[in-house]
């Protein structure tokens, strides 16, 4: 490969690619690499420092039973966790169907017709709903948002964090006292409340609607199998977490949140929406709907910066519902409620006060003795309860509870006499009042009523898996998305109970192992980036962007420079950049790029000077979005600093820097990292992700807090940006393992090989497709952009679809430049796989030339008709002017193994014009 590039060594290639003025002139100060076997033993020792208690803390997090068939065949299966976001619908039909099941499940249970394909966690979903309500108010001058004091505490804090830079006044109060409601554009309540009470919100909803405001209900999917759903009460938006549907606690995540809403609000819903369309033969097919709402299109006009989801966890939750079905879910819910009623009766017999209000699974117990003593007694038996105040405790039950657990809980609160056994009070079950009991049916679609044996569910999941192309099949050469190896040894610890079975609000003395891992990872990432400190809390790249900009926002405010609200962003930036900036309180000013794809430095100087008095930040990606190491990067940072601004670096391309250069050394003040890209957390079909931020010393006080937010207007600390103190904690061991396995030399070599692979592909293809941007020595960084705009009869989308026939997922298309392909091979791919991909592209180039030169029909050809399904190829109605063999087997390796796209090309326009986002409607198309 080096010989093809004209270099004698990797060092020589790197010298020609990475500007010498930014190079790190020493090895990274990290522990030396270790073997998989020894490192897993070491991590076992760290994990053992965590104490796995049985937690009855609640607050939106519950023990759950992950069906073994789902754990083995989705959670631990690379066929599901290495898939990419389903932008190429024809080879993503399996997970798209599963995510449609998730949407249907949420829509049915909440009784609201439109649900998205998951959000990051319950607290951020509440914040997204607030922002959605804010955007719906139009020209209304109302600027207050009511939040019930009976919402989960972490939800209240995240909503406060998100409201502040937008100038929204959060009013926290009692939903039973309407003094402040008339001033609000929206209101958020918890149903059931965090104290366990199921309030009847009908009157509240009526009053809020009378004031012209939006009602948001944070709710519990399991409870909704028994109680009247939000849509029937009149709520406009429902949000919550699907965690208790088979997704482990994981010290807080990742878990799939949800948001559902009325049909009239569907074009304002944040996140992804899976819909039904049809392919060229009229067969129903799934796709991402309403894609024009996404942030890379709307940019600073976006109402959300979300560009990801929790797809893997949403798929687990959806399969949990498919496995149990409506009757099974209701039986689980009834059992949990019955045990709660039994516990309540037993506690009352012991003289404790559990209140008289209706409940589902949670009791607020006013103890007749010291709550502290009861907590100590519980801890001595490996049990966590929720401390509320001096004589009040919370207890939340879940599906893992058995009769002996109720007996144990009662013994902790004071033993009952033998004749008053807890289980003898079963007459108290079914205690929900009639006006709160659900009467409507849910999950009536056949998919939720025919896969209740392990055999049937296994076959269903395997069928869906076979309809998706993942890293288990071939390389996924997506620029800026870094689809690299997710090593099996790195994945093992995620399933260990010492990491997966811990509540995010468990006492600190039970999580010493987690905190040791956090400290290691924070220190390693600080060394890799050159920053003074790192926060692991943001649970997606978009959240890392937001947290980094929020740190700058609060830093400026703390210096009396709140007017520094202009954020300069290159026109080539990822669309989440401007969306995040606006959400963090900034006004976006675009900066031009030159013909080489670099920042136009004269334009930057002019804009920085023009806005010198209110310049807050520059957002920049490095290497550039165009796949080039900009040699003027230090000068760019200096210009911004000279005019009083801070430099935010988007770390999407950090995998081209590790071991070679560091963001802090380049002049950046803050940088977010995509652990799901550079540091090997898998994409999971569109999530989970982790987006920690590194900051310079002066920004350390403005990292997201792991507790409550500011205490006074003069306090410039930053509240939490995710529901759990450490975000998606349970997948952090993956990145810990990756860094520790690689060591300083391995990390540097991975970066060098990624650059080698990208340049090798660019070299092999440059005579067929011009490489759009190169550095001063004719080299690209870790990705290259191929220009397809010279072809008149064939589009870049045609090439993307034809690649499916060759067994490949397409590279990133038409971004950052329309009509181009951005290819990033990563360091994980062997030369043989790179050559196979290049051979496919060269073969497709010949097919394109044949069309351009008139040797093939301009409309009826292998590219316009791609992808070719098995059904189309074997059909008796073959009426195409090229042989079936060319359609199905255009390359020799396909005879050894062929991935057949399950459907033909999707009609995107039809899908948006006829929006169907639940299982209802598939039969109509069929």
């Amino acid at each position: 490969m080096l010989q093809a590039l004209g270099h004698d060594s990797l060092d020589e290639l790197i010298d020609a690619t990475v500007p010498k003025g930014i190079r790190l002139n020493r090895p990274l100060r990290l522990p030396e690499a270790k073997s998989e076997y020894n490192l897993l033993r070491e991590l076992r020792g760290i994990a053992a420092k965590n104490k796995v208690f049985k937690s009855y803390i609640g607050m939106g997090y519950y023990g759950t039973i992950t069906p073994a068939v789902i754990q083995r065949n989705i959670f631990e299966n690379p066929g599901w966790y290495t898939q990419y976001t389903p932008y190429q619908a024809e080879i993503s039909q399996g997970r798209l169907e599963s995510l449609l099941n998730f949407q249907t499940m949420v829509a049915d249970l909440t009784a609201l017709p439109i649900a998205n394909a998951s959000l990051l966690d319950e607290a951020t979903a509440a914040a997204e709903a607030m922002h959605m309500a804010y955007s719906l108010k139009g020209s209304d001058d109302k600027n207050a948002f009511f939040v019930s004091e009976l919402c989960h505490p972490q939800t209240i804090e995240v909503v406060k964090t998100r409201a502040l830079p937008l100038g929204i006044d959060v009013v926290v109060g009692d939903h039973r006292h309407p003094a402040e409601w008339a001033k609000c554009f929206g209101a958020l309540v918890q149903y059931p409340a965090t104290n366990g009470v199921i309030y009847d919100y009908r009157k509240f909803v009526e009053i809020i609607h009378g004031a012209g405001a939006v009602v948001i209900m944070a709710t519990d999917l399991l409870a909704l199998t028994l109680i009247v759903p939000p849509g029937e009460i009149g709520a406009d938006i429902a949000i919550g977490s699907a965690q208790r549907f088979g997704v482990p606690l994981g010290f807080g995540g990742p878990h799939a949140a949800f948001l559902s809403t009325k049909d009239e609000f569907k074009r304002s819903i944040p996140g992804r929406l899976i819909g039904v369309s049809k392919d060229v033969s009229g067969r129903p097919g799934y796709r991402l709907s309403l894609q024009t709402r996404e942030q890379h299109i709307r940019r600073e006009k976006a109402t959300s910066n979300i560009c990801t989801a929790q797809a893997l966890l949403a798929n687990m939750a959806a399969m949990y519902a498919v496995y149990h079905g409506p009757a099974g879910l209701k039986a689980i819910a009834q059992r949990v409620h019955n045990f709660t009623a039994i516990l309540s009766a037993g506690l009352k017999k012991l003289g404790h006060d559990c209140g008289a209000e209706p409940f589902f699974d949670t009791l607020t117990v006013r103890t007749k003795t010291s709550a502290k003593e009861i907590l100590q007694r519980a801890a001595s038996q490996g049990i966590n309860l929720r401390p509320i105040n001096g004589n009040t405790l919370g207890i939340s039950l879940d599906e893992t509870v058995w009769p002996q657990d109720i007996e144990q809980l009662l013994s902790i609160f004071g033993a009952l006499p033998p004749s008053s056994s807890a289980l003898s009070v079963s007459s108290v079950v079914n205690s929900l009042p009639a006006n709160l009991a659900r009467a409507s049916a849910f999950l009536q679609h056949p998919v939720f009523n025919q896969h209740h044996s392990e055999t049937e569910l296994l076959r269903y999941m395997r069928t869906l898996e076979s309809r998706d192309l993942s890293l288990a099949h071939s390389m996924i050469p997506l620029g800026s998305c870094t689809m690299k190896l997710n090593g099996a040894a790195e994945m093992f610890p995620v399933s260990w109970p010492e990491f997966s079975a811990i509540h995010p609000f468990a006492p600190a003395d039970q999580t010493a192992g987690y905190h040791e891992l956090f400290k290691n990872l924070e220190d390693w990432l600080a060394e890799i980036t050159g920053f003074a400190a790192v926060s692991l809390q943001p649970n997606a790249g978009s959240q890392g962007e937001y947290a980094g900009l929020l740190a700058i926002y609060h830093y400026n405010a703390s210096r009396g420079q709140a007017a520094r609200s202009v954020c300069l962003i290159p026109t080539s930036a990822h669309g989440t950049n401007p969306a995040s900036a606006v959400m963090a309180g900034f006004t976006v000013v675009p900066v031009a790029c030159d013909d080489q794809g670099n920042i136009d430095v004269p334009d930057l100087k002019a804009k920085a000077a023009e806005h010198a008095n209110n310049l807050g930040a520059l957002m920049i990606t490095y290497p550039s979005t165009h796949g080039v190491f900009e040699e003027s990067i230090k000068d760019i940072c200096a210009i911004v600093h000279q005019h009083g601004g801070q430099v935010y670096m988007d770390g999407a391309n950090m995998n081209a820097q590790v071991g070679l250069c560091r963001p802090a050394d380049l002049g950046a003040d803050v940088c977010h990292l995509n652990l799901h890209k550079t540091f090997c957390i898998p994409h999971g079909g569109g999530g989970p992700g982790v987006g920690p931020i590194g900051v310079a010393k002066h920004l350390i006080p403005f990292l997201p807090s792991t507790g409550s937010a500011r205490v006074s207007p003069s306090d410039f600390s930053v509240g939490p940006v995710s529901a759990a103190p450490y975000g998606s904690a349970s997948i952090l061991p993956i990145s810990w393992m990756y860094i520790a396995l690689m060591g300083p030399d391995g990390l540097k070599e991975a970066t060098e090989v990624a650059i080698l692979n990208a340049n090798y592909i660019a070299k092999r293809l440059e005579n067929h497709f011009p490489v759009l941007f190169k550095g001063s020595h004719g080299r690209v960084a870790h990705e290259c952009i191929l220009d397809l705009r010279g072809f008149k009869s064939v589009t870049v989308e045609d090439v993307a679809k034809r690649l499916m026939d060759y067994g490949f997922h397409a590279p990133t298309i038409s971004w950052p430049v329309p009509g181009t392909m951005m290819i990033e091979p990563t360091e994980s791919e062997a030369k043989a796989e790179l050559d196979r991909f290049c051979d496919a592209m060269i073969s497709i180039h010949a097919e394109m030339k044949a069309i351009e030169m008139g040797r093939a029909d301009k409309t009826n050809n292998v590219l316009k008709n791609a992808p070719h399904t098995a059904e189309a190829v074997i059909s008796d109605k073959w009426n195409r002017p090229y042989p079936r063999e060319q359609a199905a087997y255009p390359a020799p390796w396909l005879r050894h193994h062929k991935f057949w796209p399950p459907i033909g090309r999707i009609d995107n326009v039809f899908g948006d014009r006829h929006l169907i986002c639940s299982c209802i409607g598939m039969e109509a198309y069929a």
Side-chain angles (χ1 to χ4, degrees), residues 142 144-147 169 171-184 187 204 207-208 211:
K142 292 178 181 177
F145 183 68
F146 175 80
V147 179
D169 180 22
V171 179
V172 180
D174 189 334
H175 75 274
R176 293 162 293 190
H177 297 92
E180 303 292 334
W181 299 349
K183 304 175 186 176
C184 298
F204 172 83
I207 294 171
I208 294 294

Side-chain angles (χ1 to χ4, degrees), residues 188-210:
L188 171 68
V189 292
Q190 192 88 39
Y191 178 68
T194 193
N195 63 2
V197 177
I198 306 171
Y199 291 101
D200 187 343
Y201 289 111
R202 291 180 178 92
K203 186 65 176 176
F204 172 83
V205 170
E206 183 181 328
I207 294 171
I208 294 294
H209 283 165

